[in-house]
Amino acid sequence: MIRRTVSAIVLAACTFAPIASHAFPLFGKSDTAQAKVKTVKLTLKNKSAAPMEVFIEDKSVTLAANGGEYALNAPEGTKVYGADKTVKVTVTRDLAGTVCSFR
């Protein structure tokens, strides 16, 4: 009888211990559970003779002619579109610190 009671208590403790150890993030506010998005810094450059308009997601930016630059600081996955609404650049961590030029 005592052996069954002890076995039942040990079994219950082993069953609920993993749940109890993770109970705080479920009910309390925890900042560690949120994913952090890496921000990438790069430069957009216009190498054509005419000013160029590009769209960074929904924001319109005009690059001056013959070397006009724009310093971009955007999260990974941000898309840069041309005036014709085609994707010119998708921001990835591989582009950190680079210059993306358009013609």
Side-chain angles (χ1 to χ4, degrees):
M1 180 76 166
I2 295 174
R3 194 177 296 177
R4 282 190 187 168
T5 306
V6 170
S7 298
I9 292 172
V10 169
L11 181 62
C14 291
T15 303
F16 293 116
I19 295 170
S21 67
H22 295 290
F24 177 73
L26 295 176
F27 301 110
K29 185 173 181 175
S30 175
D31 293 333
T32 58
Q34 297 175 355
K36 300 200 179 192
V37 178
K38 182 175 169 84
T39 303
V40 179
K41 295 179 183 178
L42 59 111
T43 303
L44 304 176
K45 187 171 186 177
N46 181 7
K47 287 195 169 185
S48 67
M52 180 182 292
E53 185 176 21
V54 294
F55 297 93
I56 303 166
E57 293 297 331
D58 294 332
K59 181 183 171 189
S60 174
V61 174
T62 302
L63 300 174
N66 297 324
E69 293 185 355
Y70 179 78
L72 178 63
N73 189 9
E76 282 187 282
T78 301
K79 296 190 184 320
V80 178
Y81 299 94
D84 56 354
K85 301 294 184 193
T86 60
V87 176
K88 299 291 186 183
V89 176
T90 301
V91 176
T92 62
R93 73 178 64 182
D94 297 332
L95 295 176
T98 62
V99 176
C100 297
S101 58
F102 302 102
R103 291 183 188 227

